[in-house]
Amino acid sequence: MPGRRIHITGAPGCGVTTLGRAVADALSIPHHDTDDYYWLPTDPPYQQPRDIPDRIRLMQEMFVPRDAWVLSGGIDSWASPITPMVELIVFLRVPTEIRMLRLRDREARRGLVDPEFIEWASHYDDGTRGGRSLPRHEAWLQTLSCPVLRLDGTLPVGELVDRVLAAIRSNA
């Protein structure tokens, strides 16, 4: 069935990992998160990025050649060899205020509150900081040949999953 290589992306705190896991569960296919490939394992985590060729190699070894998977997280600036394998992009948007509340809560639960990260993430929409941003995401989405499903990440996860499944069926 086409559309079973799914990439879910959006700003930090908009629910891409949560939706990625839920879609993968609904389809009974593996879920992968870009953080597992982007970052070297460190204590505390998320301190040192892997070199891009190592990220790509790991992803190709772990899941990319398979028939079905869900990948959550950002790949727009570094994973061009992976992008052609994606059959559906799900782009989540959440208002900044809600996203930042979610992000602060998530970081507190993890015990990883990093004021610099929070500050950087708060500028996703205006694109005034380096790295992942709405303007960069929008530019990247324009380059894709696969369908892009835009969803409101404030909707209940079950409803979001239903919309993703409907998009898969309509693209089949």
Side-chain angles (χ1 to χ4, degrees):
M1 171 201 295
R4 292 179 47 125
R5 291 181 179 163
I6 303 159
H7 174 57
I8 301 173
T9 192
C14 71
V16 297
T17 303
T18 299
L19 181 58
R21 287 182 185 130
V23 168
D25 287 349
L27 293 170
S28 297
I29 61 178
H31 170 257
H32 299 269
D33 192 85
T34 57
D35 282 345
D36 297 330
Y37 301 94
Y38 187 93
W39 298 103
L40 287 167
T42 58
D43 187 17
Y46 313 119
Q47 300 298 307
Q48 184 177 357
R50 273 193 177 91
D51 292 332
I52 291 173
D54 291 336
R55 294 177 214 165
I56 301 299
R57 179 187 51 77
L58 283 171
M59 292 169 81
Q60 289 171 332
E61 288 174 2
M62 294 300 296
F63 70 92
V64 171
R66 296 183 181 180
D67 291 334
W69 39 262
V70 176
L71 175 65
S72 57
I75 62 169
D76 58 294
S77 67
W78 57 268
S80 57
I82 307 299
T83 305
M85 305 298 292
V86 175
E87 297 170 330
L88 175 66
I89 299 281
V90 178
F91 182 58
L92 286 182
R93 289 287 309 276
V94 171
T96 303
E97 314 77 54
I98 295 170
R99 190 172 57 74
M100 294 310 298
L101 287 171
R102 288 178 176 181
L103 192 57
R104 285 184 187 98
D105 182 56
R106 179 189 81 189
E107 296 300 292
R109 282 192 321 269
R110 291 180 174 175
L112 297 173
V113 179
D114 177 350
E116 289 179 25
F117 171 69
I118 298 295
E119 171 64 18
W120 169 81
S122 73
H123 290 277
Y124 169 85
D125 294 302
D126 63 30
T128 58
R129 301 295 190 273
R132 191 169 20 154
S133 68
L134 180 57
R136 194 172 88 182
H137 252 138
E138 290 290 356
W140 176 70
L141 292 170
Q142 296 304 311
T143 69
L144 302 174
S145 58
C146 68
V148 175
L149 176 63
R150 294 170 179 269
L151 294 175
D152 176 351
T154 64
L155 296 172
V157 174
E159 186 173 334
L160 293 170
V161 170
D162 289 345
R163 291 183 185 201
V164 172
L165 298 179
I168 292 168
R169 284 191 297 276
S170 72
N171 290 319

